[in-house]
Amino acid sequence: MAKTKAIDELIRVMVKLRSPTGCPWDREQDHRSLRWHAVEEVYELMDAVEAGDDHEMAEELGDLLLQVVFHCQMAKERGAFDFDEVARNIVNKLIRRHPHVFGSSKAKTVDAVWAQWEQIKKAEKKGTRHERVSALDGIPGHLPALLRAEKLVKKARKTGLLKGKTKKCGNRAEVARKLFELAEYAQSRGWSAEDLLRGEIRRPERELRKKEKNNFAL
C-alpha cells in the first residue's frame, strides 16, 4: 500500500467509522452531541502543557485534531463543508491577518499587530451577522466566568474604556488566596461562584458598552 499523509489516513478512518459498516457510537453523533468533547480535550491538552509532558501533549493534540476531523466529516455528509475547506479558510485568514508578514504593513510591535488584527477582523465581519459593532464583541459566551471577565477587562483596557489601575488587594499569592476563599464561601452558602461571577459580568459589560456608545457619539 502506498504511503499516504497521516492526515489523509485519519480522514479515511473517520469516513469508515461513520459509514454503515462503521462504529454505532460514531454514527449516532452530531455536532451538538460532540460539542463538549472538544472542550474536554482542550482542558486535557492544557494539563499536558502545564506538566511539560511532550508525550501526553502529542496524544492530546491528536485527540483535539480528531474532534476537528469528526465535525468536518459530519458537515461533509450534510453538504456543508469539509476538512479541505476548513484548512483553506484558516490558511487564507492567517495570511490576510498578517499583512506585516505577507504584505506591506509596517506593524512592528505586539500592540500594533493586535490593533491591526482587530481592525482587519472587524472589516471582515462588517455587513455579516457576526459584525463587530463594539470593541467588546467576540468574547465567547461559554468561556468560564473568570476567563470571560479577564477577556472583557483586557478588551476594555486596550480600547481605553478602562484606564488606570484598580485598588490594590495584595500580591499574586494574596489575590489567589482571596479567589479561593470567595469560591469556598460561595460553596458554603450553597451558591456557585461560577454562576455568581457570570451573572455579575453582565453589569460592568452593560456599563462599558454604554460608555463606548457615548464616547462614539461624541
Side-chain angles (χ1 to χ4, degrees):
M1 184 172 66
K3 185 176 180 180
T4 59
K5 292 182 179 179
I7 188 63
D8 293 332
E9 188 172 355
L10 174 57
I11 292 171
R12 282 201 296 273
V13 168
M14 191 70 252
V15 171
K16 176 63 176 178
L17 290 173
R18 289 280 296 176
S19 73
T21 58
C23 171
W25 185 88
D26 289 278
R27 289 203 308 269
E28 72 177 13
Q29 301 310 308
D30 58 26
H31 295 295
R32 189 173 182 81
S33 69
L34 282 181
R35 69 194 190 284
W36 290 112
H37 288 264
V39 175
E40 182 179 349
E41 298 300 351
V42 169
Y43 283 128
E44 290 181 356
L45 172 61
M46 289 174 64
D47 287 344
V49 170
E50 292 186 0
D53 189 327
D54 288 340
H55 176 79
E56 281 296 306
M57 200 185 307
E59 181 174 343
E60 298 305 338
L61 283 168
D63 290 343
L64 189 56
L65 177 58
L66 171 61
Q67 294 301 310
V68 175
V69 171
F70 208 147
H71 282 282
C72 287
Q73 177 57 29
M74 292 187 295
K76 183 177 181 180
E77 293 165 6
R78 297 187 291 108
F81 57 83
D82 60 11
F83 183 87
D84 283 347
E85 183 176 346
V86 169
R88 282 196 302 271
N89 284 347
I90 191 58
V91 167
N92 292 337
K93 181 189 288 187
L94 288 172
I95 294 172
R96 191 170 62 246
R97 293 191 184 179
H98 290 81
H100 53 293
V101 177
F102 301 102
S104 58
S105 170
K106 303 301 181 183
K108 297 294 183 181
T109 67
V110 171
D111 286 343
V113 169
W114 184 89
Q116 175 182 259
W117 178 284
E118 289 297 312
Q119 291 172 356
I120 294 171
K121 184 162 57 175
K122 186 174 182 179
E124 289 173 353
K125 297 181 182 298
K126 187 174 179 60
T128 73
R129 64 189 182 92
H130 302 293
E131 182 172 356
R132 302 283 175 87
V133 297
S134 167
L136 304 178
D137 288 345
I139 303 176
H142 282 86
L143 279 179
L146 187 56
L147 183 55
R148 181 171 170 76
E150 290 177 352
K151 292 281 188 181
L152 179 65
V153 169
K154 183 178 180 180
K155 279 179 172 282
R157 286 195 187 284
K158 282 185 174 293
T159 53
L161 293 173
L162 280 177
K163 297 180 179 179
K165 296 182 179 179
T166 57
K167 61 182 181 180
K168 294 182 179 179
C169 60
N171 57 32
R172 288 167 57 98
E174 290 171 338
V175 171
R177 186 163 56 250
K178 287 180 184 295
L179 289 171
F180 183 83
E181 288 172 353
L182 287 171
E184 184 180 27
Y185 177 74
Q187 196 279 332
S188 72
R189 298 293 301 270
W191 304 332
S192 163
E194 172 74 12
D195 290 343
L196 289 174
L197 181 56
R198 184 173 294 279
E200 170 60 18
I201 291 172
R202 298 190 186 101
R203 180 189 59 77
E205 183 172 0
R206 284 195 302 268
E207 294 174 355
L208 287 168
R209 287 179 181 274
K210 183 178 180 180
K211 180 179 180 181
E212 180 187 35
K213 186 176 182 180
N214 290 339
N215 289 349
F216 183 77
L218 295 175

